[in-house]
Amino acid sequence: MSDYFISQVYPSDKRTNAQVDALLEQEGIRRDANLDYTCVMFDNDYHAIATGSCFGNTLRCMAVDHHHQGEGLMNEIVSHLVQYQYERGNLHLFLYTKCSSAKFFGDLGFYEIARIEDQIVFMENRKDGFSSYLDNLARSRVEAPKVAAIVMNANPFTLGHQYLVEKAAAENDLVHLFMVSEDASLFPYAVRKQLIQEGTRHLSNLRYHDSGPYIISQATFPSYFQKDAEAVIASHANLDLAIFTKIAHRLGITVRYVGEEPTSVVTGLYNQVMQRRLPEAGIQCIVVPRREEQGQVVSASIVRKALQEGNWALVREQVPATTLEFLQSEAARPILERIRKEQDVVHY
């Protein structure tokens, strides 16, 4: 244990935050956009020599000044972050790290879930976490000639989502529908799940699954040690597919359906990686062109923008009756208010 001390960094502390940013930059890391707690270790001259952060139940942006490496400071930062997470009730923890650091974190009690060679490793602090998740999924395995999968955020559920699920259901004996359960969207997961299930209840060959922490949303994927935005998208896509491939093999899934989004650079790049990598794992990738209404593509982004602007005529053209009924209910008021105040409802 060193003689140095660790303290929390508050957003209002511009001087310390500047030191943290400088330390991260020095060690080849950019501060992640998604952080809800940051700590710093100072030396005796009050210089930042180590730092680490959290977002939800993940550990992020951990760095030690290279002049102090070998002193066990990263162990202290990780121990501090783990203790902080436990105190706020997060017992199942995750982290992303460079491949070269995976053994170090393994020695601290983290276990590998998946990796992309020379890029990134996804780890958790439970030895049987992912295997237990797979075992639980396997209980819903059904032997059938054609088994498909869809991964869906549905923020909110639109006619486009409905069209994608209906197409997959019509072309396959069984469809496993994974609903992204991270609460990183304007519509809370409980609402998104409700709207997905209500909008697809007429289909009898679906199996619904909470994604849990293993299917990672683009909104919370770490970007702090990728060189640029395109590298972030590629890393996220490759890691997601490495995890999805293990899930697919466990459930007998041989095809994944994804929706095209012509206006989204992120989705376009993601789909390109998917179309290349999934067939390598024996999984067909079908990119379904977006449904159009009144000459306009159907998109959750368009729905959120229309809700922000109070354009209910456009909303009606874009969503099924089940989603519209919710949007016009008292329960939707807090969400609509949040959307009206949000600066960017379109995102990527």
Side-chain angles (χ1 to χ4, degrees):
M1 181 71 70
S2 69
D3 294 329
Y4 306 129
F5 63 96
I6 300 175
S7 63
Q8 181 177 355
V9 181
Y10 294 93
S12 59
D13 187 346
K14 294 182 180 179
R15 179 181 179 278
T16 303
N17 276 296
Q19 282 201 55
V20 169
D21 288 340
L23 172 60
L24 290 172
E25 184 178 353
Q26 173 188 296
E27 301 307 322
I29 297 173
R30 292 174 290 120
R31 188 189 287 248
D32 195 275
N34 294 305
L35 301 175
D36 54 31
Y37 176 83
T38 295
C39 71
V40 65
M41 178 184 286
F42 293 105
D43 65 12
N44 296 326
D45 295 319
Y46 211 70
H47 295 135
I49 57 173
T51 185
S53 297
C54 302
F55 179 70
N57 61 350
T58 64
L59 310 186
R60 303 186 172 209
C61 292
M62 294 172 284
V64 173
D65 187 323
H66 60 271
H67 297 104
H68 290 270
Q69 287 176 359
E71 298 178 22
L73 305 189
M74 182 59 79
N75 299 43
E76 294 185 45
I77 289 291
V78 172
S79 295
H80 174 87
L81 294 176
V82 168
Q83 183 61 35
Y84 172 77
Q85 290 279 28
Y86 285 176
E87 287 172 358
R88 66 177 182 176
N90 291 331
L91 305 181
H92 192 184
L93 305 179
F94 300 83
L95 62 80
Y96 309 85
T97 187
K98 297 176 182 178
C99 296
S100 57
S101 303
K103 184 181 183 306
F104 169 80
F105 288 109
D107 292 340
L108 294 181
F110 283 83
Y111 300 88
E112 182 174 321
I113 298 167
R115 73 164 56 206
I116 303 303
E117 287 300 335
D118 301 321
Q119 291 186 46
I120 189 171
V121 181
F122 185 37
M123 308 183 79
E124 63 181 329
N125 68 338
R126 291 184 182 173
K127 187 175 183 179
D128 62 347
F130 186 51
S131 60
S132 294
Y133 175 76
L134 291 177
D135 289 344
N136 188 54
L137 285 179
R139 295 189 184 99
S140 63
R141 176 168 179 148
V142 175
E143 298 301 329
K146 298 180 69 177
V147 180
I150 297 172
V151 178
M152 182 173 290
N153 192 41
N155 184 35
F157 186 78
T158 67
L159 287 169
H161 294 112
Q162 190 178 62
Y163 172 70
L164 180 68
V165 180
E166 287 175 341
K167 181 174 176 60
E171 295 175 355
N172 295 274
D173 300 293
L174 182 71
V175 178
H176 291 282
L177 178 49
F178 293 89
M179 303 170 290
V180 177
S181 52
E182 264 185 335
D183 259 324
S185 302
L186 287 167
F187 284 80
Y189 177 56
V191 171
R192 290 186 287 110
K193 181 176 183 176
Q194 171 193 330
L195 297 182
I196 291 170
Q197 292 180 329
E198 288 179 350
T200 58
R201 65 159 63 109
H202 58 293
L203 303 170
S204 60
N205 59 338
L206 304 183
R207 295 291 184 276
Y208 301 97
H209 306 286
D210 299 337
S211 70
Y214 300 107
I215 295 176
I216 313 129
S217 78
Q218 183 69 36
T220 59
F221 183 74
S223 60
Y224 46 87
F225 49 77
Q226 276 86 17
K227 61 182 179 179
D228 54 40
E230 190 164 325
V232 173
I233 297 164
S235 290
H236 174 245
N238 280 303
L239 185 61
D240 173 64
L241 296 178
I243 295 170
F244 176 78
T245 296
K246 295 180 181 182
I247 293 171
H249 289 163
R250 197 62 179 271
L251 289 175
I253 294 165
T254 57
V255 58
R256 178 168 170 175
Y257 285 71
V258 297
E260 178 190 42
E261 188 155 4
T263 60
S264 171
V265 174
V266 170
T267 304
L269 287 170
Y270 196 101
N271 286 352
Q272 286 175 26
V273 174
M274 204 177 302
Q275 287 175 286
R276 185 174 68 252
R277 292 296 302 275
L278 284 180
E280 294 173 2
I283 303 168
Q284 185 184 3
C285 179
I286 297 179
V287 180
V288 178
R290 287 280 172 165
R291 175 173 171 170
E292 293 189 10
E293 290 292 330
Q294 307 296 321
Q296 185 174 34
V297 294
V298 175
S299 163
S301 294
I302 291 173
V303 173
R304 294 193 300 273
K305 188 66 176 173
L307 289 169
Q308 187 178 56
E309 296 171 349
N311 186 349
W312 284 97
L314 180 55
V315 172
R316 288 186 183 90
E317 292 175 1
Q318 295 262 324
V319 301
T322 48
T323 298
L324 183 63
E325 182 180 357
F326 171 79
L327 292 173
Q328 293 179 328
S329 72
E330 190 69 26
R333 278 196 175 189
I335 300 171
L336 298 182
E337 189 60 33
R338 184 180 171 194
I339 289 173
R340 291 187 194 103
K341 293 177 180 177
E342 191 76 12
Q343 268 194 320
D344 178 18
V345 297
V346 176
H347 305 309
Y348 328 105

